[in-house]
Amino acid sequence: MSCETLEYHWGKHHRGYVENLNRQLGGTELDGLTLEDIITITYIKGDFLSAFNNAAQAWSNDFLWETMKPDGGGEPSGDLLELIKRDFGSFEFVEEFKLAASTQFGSGWAWLVYKANRLDVGNAVNPWPSEQDKKLGVVKSPNAIHPFLWDYCPLLSIDVWEHAYYLDFQNRRADYISISMEKLVSWGAVGSRLEMAKTQAAEREREEERGKRNELHTVKLQRCSWRATMVMTQSLNSWILFCRVHRLRMQQRIKNDELGILKDEQENELPNFPSFIPFLPPLESEKIKPELRSRLKGKETQTDSFWG
């Protein structure tokens, strides 16, 4: 990359994204948020808000510069190389990456990404992805679209907007891509991003698992509360029914007494009721006439204690 291309790309285009974004955010509710949050909020499933393009391009260019280093290129090592060989067969994945970048129609980006996501399917329980499900992949995106909008973690990128290469290569995009991969890529930075992506994926799984446990605990508490309420309601209903039945029996006894057919007291011994039952007073029509109280033969005390 020539000094002139770097000055135009970083000094004019990248700086322009940042300055335009600052003007757009001033005095809005987005001011103070991270670039990632701004990009996610303003994307709206492709119906962009005005700040989206500048925020996404500012983030992607920051990411691009961190991917480069003088005398870069070569091959990666460690876990990154093992995953590349596992998911692409060999380090020849570079050819797949070059193809994605060269065939991106118009402006855009090509990315090496880490995919640790699950399918977003409504009304379905998606299992945690296994280590074999967490794969590297190559994707391309038009204009300012970013892979984390698809729930991918970017590891490596190449900018195929014309301002990234036209001063040096004119319309020879393929040559620009090949030289960038052979001489500028910092595989150490890519490997560090892979470890960070794994850590973030594991933390997200733990957080979602905690959320599921808390939700299950809340449901259990609600069920226990419902059962306790039902038991108390049933008990209260039983006492109310018991009291109503007793009232009816008392009314019948009074009527029998008025007719002179009061039955043997031993057969109709009044039950001993708990002391708290009097909170249910009789209706006016159920009150015992004063002149009949003396005729209940020794039951005045029980009657008075029950009806208050």
Side-chain angles (χ1 to χ4, degrees):
M1 179 184 294
S2 68
C3 180
E4 187 179 14
T5 292
L6 181 59
E7 288 177 351
Y8 269 95
H9 193 171
W10 177 81
K12 295 186 180 295
H13 290 279
H14 190 179
R15 182 184 295 275
Y17 299 137
V18 174
E19 292 176 349
N20 289 335
L21 179 62
N22 287 334
R23 284 193 292 269
Q24 290 172 325
L25 297 183
T28 71
E29 61 184 11
L30 298 175
D31 196 5
L33 298 180
T34 65
L35 277 176
E36 290 86 347
D37 288 339
I38 294 170
I39 293 168
T40 302
I41 292 170
T42 58
Y43 178 60
I44 315 179
K45 296 183 178 180
D47 186 15
F48 315 133
L49 295 180
S50 58
F52 172 78
N53 285 321
N54 285 310
Q57 284 293 88
W59 193 101
S60 297
N61 277 277
D62 279 342
F63 185 88
L64 177 68
W65 305 129
E66 294 170 357
T67 304
M68 296 181 179
K69 72 172 186 177
D71 301 321
E75 290 190 6
S77 59
D79 290 344
L80 176 58
L81 182 58
E82 290 182 8
L83 259 65
I84 288 174
K85 291 180 177 180
R86 186 197 72 181
D87 296 336
F88 297 101
S90 71
F91 187 66
E92 293 302 313
F93 100 95
V94 171
E95 298 304 317
E96 183 176 339
F97 187 83
K98 291 178 180 178
L99 181 63
S102 61
T103 56
Q104 168 54 42
F105 183 77
S107 300
W109 298 79
W111 309 83
L112 174 67
V113 298
Y114 179 68
K115 302 189 289 185
N117 61 323
R118 293 173 293 158
L119 294 177
D120 183 13
V121 180
N123 300 320
V125 177
N126 295 306
W128 300 121
S130 68
E131 290 305 315
Q132 294 297 318
D133 295 324
K134 299 173 183 178
K135 295 181 178 295
L136 300 177
V138 172
V139 297
K140 53 186 177 181
S141 62
N143 300 317
I145 299 300
H146 197 283
F148 69 60
L149 295 170
W150 306 325
D151 201 20
Y152 297 161
C153 292
L155 305 178
L156 170 68
S157 68
I158 187 166
D159 187 349
V160 292
W161 285 65
E162 284 192 344
H163 62 245
Y165 62 89
Y166 204 82
L167 289 176
D168 294 336
F169 296 94
Q170 288 76 50
N171 64 340
R172 293 178 289 115
R173 179 190 284 188
D175 292 343
Y176 153 71
I177 295 168
S178 295
I179 291 177
S180 295
M181 295 299 295
E182 292 170 5
K183 302 197 178 286
L184 292 177
V185 173
S186 173
W187 290 113
V190 178
S192 297
R193 288 170 181 162
L194 174 62
E195 295 307 312
M196 186 180 301
K198 288 180 176 181
T199 300
Q200 291 173 347
E203 178 57 32
R204 183 173 68 173
E205 289 179 8
R206 286 192 294 270
E207 187 65 30
E208 291 183 6
E209 185 63 30
R210 283 193 293 268
K212 283 187 175 182
R213 287 199 301 267
N214 290 339
E215 183 179 354
L216 181 60
H217 181 64
T218 301
V219 170
K220 288 181 178 179
L221 288 178
Q222 290 173 343
R223 288 177 178 174
C224 289
S225 176
W226 177 81
R227 288 172 181 168
T229 302
M230 289 298 296
V231 169
M232 293 176 65
T233 302
Q234 290 172 358
S235 299
L236 181 59
N237 288 339
S238 297
W239 281 114
I240 292 173
L241 179 60
F242 180 76
C243 293
R244 287 176 178 172
V245 169
H246 179 69
R247 286 181 183 179
L248 293 175
R249 291 182 62 194
M250 289 295 298
Q251 288 176 343
Q252 186 63 46
R253 288 177 64 119
I254 293 168
K255 289 180 181 180
N256 290 344
D257 186 57
E258 288 177 323
L259 296 172
I261 56 172
L262 186 62
K263 296 185 177 181
D264 183 18
E265 293 297 328
Q266 299 301 321
E267 297 176 358
N268 294 279
E269 194 69 31
L270 291 175
N272 293 320
F273 294 98
S275 60
F276 64 86
I277 291 182
F279 82 91
L280 292 170
L283 300 176
E284 288 296 324
S285 61
E286 300 174 349
K287 290 182 178 178
I288 302 175
K289 296 178 181 179
E291 62 271 18
L292 296 177
R293 287 182 180 270
S294 61
R295 302 179 61 186
L296 290 180
K297 296 183 178 179
K299 300 301 179 182
E300 294 86 353
T301 303
Q302 292 186 19
T303 305
D304 289 342
S305 66
F306 180 73
W307 297 121

